[in-house]
């Protein structure tokens, strides 16, 4: 399993809306995440900076990267683009984090 950490950023005042949308995550989106090898997915919010910190375990990096091209993922990005920083294709502006420690 590959552990992947990343960060994204919300627009100020969108914290509750972001959490609400994830509480109501579409079944098709959950299915796609699992189908493309994603497990143990967690997102944390730093309320002071509006930075989101994501953690996911993936089976295969290329397979996970391919999930970006699915119709459901593109639909989710569009749905979320009004509350967070995004690229021109509506994908979240995201930076990978470097793992410095892990303990099972």
């Amino acid at each position: 399993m590959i552990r992947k950490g990343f960060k994204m950023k919300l627009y100020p005042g969108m914290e509750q809306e972001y959490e609400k949308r994830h509480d109501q995550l579409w079944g098709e989106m959950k299915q796609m995440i699992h189908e493309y090898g994603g497990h143990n997915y967690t997102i944390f919010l730093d309320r002071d900076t509006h930075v989101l910190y994501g953690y996911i375990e993936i089976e295969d990096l290329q397979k996970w990267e391919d999930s970006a091209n699915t119709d459901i993922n593109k639909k989710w990005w569009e749905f979320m683009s009004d509350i967070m920083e995004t690229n021109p294709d509506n994908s979240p502006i995201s930076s990978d984090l470097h793992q410095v420690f892990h303990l099972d």
Side-chain angles (χ1 to χ4, degrees):
M1 203 61 70
I2 301 165
R3 291 182 298 276
K4 186 169 175 51
F6 55 94
K7 66 180 181 174
M8 303 173 289
K9 191 163 186 185
L10 282 181
Y11 293 134
M14 293 293 127
E15 300 85 359
Q16 288 182 346
E17 183 62 23
Y18 185 88
E19 191 168 345
K20 175 185 163 192
R21 292 182 189 188
H22 281 79
D23 286 345
Q24 300 171 356
L25 185 64
W26 308 329
E28 303 97 328
M29 193 64 181
K30 292 178 189 177
Q31 181 180 346
M32 183 280 296
I33 290 167
H34 290 139
E35 182 180 324
Y36 281 79
H39 306 277
N40 201 23
Y41 195 175
T42 306
I43 301 172
F44 299 92
L45 170 65
D46 180 336
R47 291 187 185 277
D48 294 332
T49 64
H50 311 290
V51 174
L52 298 160
Y53 295 93
Y55 171 83
I56 190 166
E57 295 171 357
I58 57 175
E59 297 169 3
D60 177 89
L61 185 58
Q62 185 58 57
K63 186 175 182 179
W64 180 250
E65 289 175 354
D66 290 345
S67 73
N69 297 318
T70 62
D71 289 340
I72 192 63
N73 198 58
K74 290 177 184 180
K75 183 178 176 182
W76 181 257
W77 285 350
E78 183 178 344
F79 178 59
M80 298 300 290
S81 66
D82 64 325
I83 64 171
M84 63 189 304
E85 294 182 357
T86 59
N87 294 300
D89 67 353
N90 290 328
S91 63
I93 295 174
S94 178
S95 301
D96 286 339
L97 299 173
H98 175 72
Q99 179 178 308
V100 295
F101 178 76
H102 174 77
L103 175 69
D104 276 329

